[in-house]
Amino acid sequence: MNVLLIGPPGSGKGTQGKRLADLLSLEHLATGDLLRAEVDAGTELGRKAEEIMADGELVPDSVIIDLVMPKVRAANNRNGYLLDGFPRSVDQAVEARRLAEEYDATPDAVIYLDVPRDELKRRILARAESEGRIDDNEETVTNRLRVFDEATAPLVDYYRDRGLLHTVDAARTEDEVTESILAVLPKT
Ligand code: ADP
């Protein structure tokens, strides 16, 4: 099974992505983690991405697509993927679909983690204290939420129109959210 997880920063994509990937034996592909690994390793890609991420902007589509699509293809040849953080815009979704259709790796379900704005801010600033991610400061968070509204939120309609979307109330406990997601995923 192939699953996409979309949601604003702080909606719990990372937490739920990891849980679901473990429970369903899927490959957890978190684009933020993949990019941070490139930054830490000091690769050319990482050097290009670092400043963009620190500002809360999106790295260029071609960069993220070249990074993630080979992994999508490989995971599809195994038990499937749990994609967390990609696609993040309709342009990325269109290009990802074109490529995924070539190797029969399109998603089976899209989960939208829905959380009210004040709860998102609270969670991210709490995470800033415990994890120290450099993009978890107040200014960048405001920008990441704006980027989400402008670039990523239109994906909700895009996937609803394709009959793939399941909206989950993610302002509940981690266990409750996981249960709700498992309940809406197609049975395989
Ligand atoms: P969050 O969803 O909490 O903002 P992520 O770890 O998913 O955190 O992403 C961190 C940053 O990595 C984003 O702000 C963006 O700069 C970059 N990034 C992640 N995924 C993508 C993507 N699909 N396209 C472009 N940039 C991305």
Side-chain angles (χ1 to χ4, degrees):
M1 179 163 52
N2 294 324
V3 181
L4 304 184
L5 209 50
I6 60 178
S11 58
K13 295 188 302 291
T15 307
Q16 296 299 331
K18 189 177 176 326
R19 284 173 163 230
L20 293 165
D22 286 349
L23 287 165
L24 302 168
S25 303
L26 305 176
E27 187 108 9
H28 183 203
L29 298 174
T31 49
D33 290 347
L34 294 173
L35 289 168
R36 280 185 288 275
E38 297 284 330
V39 172
D40 290 345
T43 64
E44 197 187 330
L45 193 160
R47 284 198 298 276
K48 281 189 201 146
E50 189 167 15
E51 215 175 304
I52 301 173
M53 293 172 74
D55 290 341
E57 297 292 328
L58 299 183
V59 306
D61 289 351
S62 59
V63 170
I64 195 79
I65 284 167
D66 289 352
L67 181 67
V68 80
M69 290 311 287
K71 298 182 198 303
V72 162
R73 184 177 197 170
N76 180 66
N77 287 334
R78 296 189 291 268
N79 206 33
Y81 59 77
L82 189 296
L83 254 179
D84 146 9
F86 177 88
R88 233 176 172 92
S89 67
V90 173
D91 282 351
Q92 287 183 6
V94 169
E95 180 61 6
R97 169 158 294 267
R98 190 184 69 75
L99 292 168
E101 274 172 356
E102 278 176 26
Y103 32 84
D104 205 16
T106 53
D108 301 299
V110 179
I111 306 295
Y112 170 51
L113 298 178
D114 191 19
V115 179
R117 205 41 61 107
D118 51 347
E119 170 69 6
L120 292 175
K121 288 195 177 153
R122 198 189 59 70
R123 286 184 185 182
I124 299 171
L125 296 175
R127 181 171 76 185
E129 293 192 1
S130 60
E131 289 179 22
R133 250 174 65 173
I134 68 157
D135 61 347
D136 276 350
N137 60 74
E138 197 143 8
E139 191 186 331
T140 307
V141 168
T142 304
N143 198 38
R144 277 154 64 211
L145 289 168
R146 184 188 59 76
V147 169
F148 174 82
D149 289 339
E150 285 175 12
T152 313
L155 286 175
V156 171
D157 285 336
Y158 175 87
Y159 288 117
R160 188 184 291 117
D161 290 348
R162 281 160 187 74
L164 290 171
L165 189 80
H166 302 277
T167 298
V168 168
D169 172 6
R172 296 174 295 154
T173 67
E174 292 180 9
D175 285 348
E176 286 170 327
V177 176
T178 306
E179 281 300 312
S180 297
I181 297 172
L182 290 173
V184 297
L185 286 178
K187 303 288 167 274
T188 48

